[in-house]
Amino acid sequence: MDDQQTRAQRFRALHRPGDPLILANAWDAVSARLVAAAGAHAIATTSAGVAWSRGAPDGDLLARDTAVDVIRRVADAVRLPVTADIESGYGDNPDQVAETVAAVLAAGAVGVNVEDARHDGGGPLRPIHEQVARLAAVRAAADRAGIPLYVNARVDTYLRGAGGVPETVERAEAYLAAGADGIFVPGTVEPETVAALTAAIPAPLNVLAGPGAPPVAELARLGVARVSLGPALAETAYAVVRRAAAEVFGAGTYEALAGGLDFGELNELMRD
């Protein structure tokens, strides 16, 4: 099996503008193995899906140890590079974020997403200098571990209505200078905007896609290097749970269960 160094290098090489890495984000071992079996080149976790599955809302409210345990289980379940969504780092300060990254690396991940939104009521986005310090701590922790961790810095300007292309590029440049490798801008897939971002940001651009977004081929043409589905797979799975439960408690029928995966197939999938 590849060692962590090899997986890290392979993951880094998968970020090619115009030939994007596709990430169908998983939230547990079985979803990771299903995504891997579908032909994925790498596995990404979704912080929202992980949090929901472990009894917490998304938004830096999941305990660090719980999040790391899921990351370890996912990394142990597949032979592919794993990148972990660690929200804003599960820490109040850069030192605590560095502790999170050390634990994530020990769990077997070779990449992280780190967002610049705050969830403590202090405003929509962290000041740039604060986020720069946190990202510098991420890079330093990875350097101490000797792993070429791929740091994907998330810029939430569009999600939080905190600016457009100029504000996003300003943050992206600062984050790259602090040690980030790529930039994740969720909240927009408008072709003109995506093209402007890929032209202005000197690093691989990651976008969040789903229903209504341009197909992967179009995003590739625009220069995108990474396409993520985020929490969409988990949301879709839970939608089936709600429909099936409402049907059996309402009409007393079971049609929403049609098309489910076979018990034996899933059980076999989880054998080592």
Side-chain angles (χ1 to χ4, degrees):
M1 182 181 294
D2 293 340
D3 63 17
Q4 193 173 9
Q5 282 276 356
T6 302
R7 292 195 305 274
Q9 292 162 359
R10 182 153 43 108
F11 184 65
R12 182 174 294 274
L14 290 169
H15 294 78
R16 298 184 292 267
D19 182 20
L21 169 64
I22 302 170
L23 296 171
N25 304 65
W27 63 97
D28 61 9
V30 68
S31 60
R33 284 196 173 178
L34 287 167
V35 170
H41 295 293
I43 300 295
T45 64
T46 159
S47 66
V50 169
W52 299 332
S53 72
R54 302 308 293 264
D58 193 31
D60 271 336
L61 296 174
L62 189 65
R64 176 201 287 158
D65 289 349
T66 303
V68 171
D69 178 66
V70 175
I71 294 163
R72 181 178 293 105
R73 291 173 186 272
V74 168
D76 287 347
V78 296
R79 294 184 173 87
L80 297 172
V82 171
T83 183
D85 183 344
I86 60 170
E87 304 191 50
S88 65
Y90 303 119
D92 293 331
N93 57 56
D95 287 343
Q96 292 175 351
V97 174
E99 291 171 3
T100 297
V101 171
V104 167
L105 285 166
V110 298
V112 290
N113 275 13
V114 186
E115 64 189 61
D116 61 358
R118 346 179 24 141
H119 303 283
D120 58 3
L125 297 181
R126 293 183 187 278
I128 291 177
H129 72 277
E130 285 187 14
Q131 188 64 8
V132 161
R134 294 167 77 86
L135 289 169
V138 171
R139 176 53 62 204
D143 289 346
R144 285 193 293 272
I147 301 295
L149 181 75
Y150 190 94
V151 181
N152 201 36
R154 187 171 123 178
V155 182
D156 276 3
T157 42
Y158 283 91
L159 278 184
R160 299 302 182 99
V165 171
E167 293 80 6
T168 303
V169 172
E170 179 187 14
R171 285 180 173 268
E173 290 176 342
Y175 299 168
L176 292 168
D181 299 290
I183 299 296
F184 182 21
V185 184
T188 181
V189 287
E190 196 279 321
E192 184 176 342
T193 301
V194 172
L197 291 171
T198 58
I201 295 173
L205 179 70
N206 182 185
V207 299
L208 183 67
V216 171
E218 173 65 9
L219 294 172
R221 189 187 67 79
L222 295 170
V224 169
R226 176 163 159 172
V227 178
S228 302
L229 300 187
L233 288 181
E235 291 166 345
T236 303
Y238 292 134
V240 174
V241 174
R242 183 166 69 178
R243 285 197 301 271
E247 181 185 355
V248 74
F249 289 122
T253 54
Y254 323 100
E255 296 308 309
L257 297 174
L261 292 176
D262 178 74
F263 174 89
E265 180 184 358
L266 283 171
N267 215 37
E268 192 62 30
L269 182 71
M270 298 313 295
R271 295 189 192 279
D272 289 334

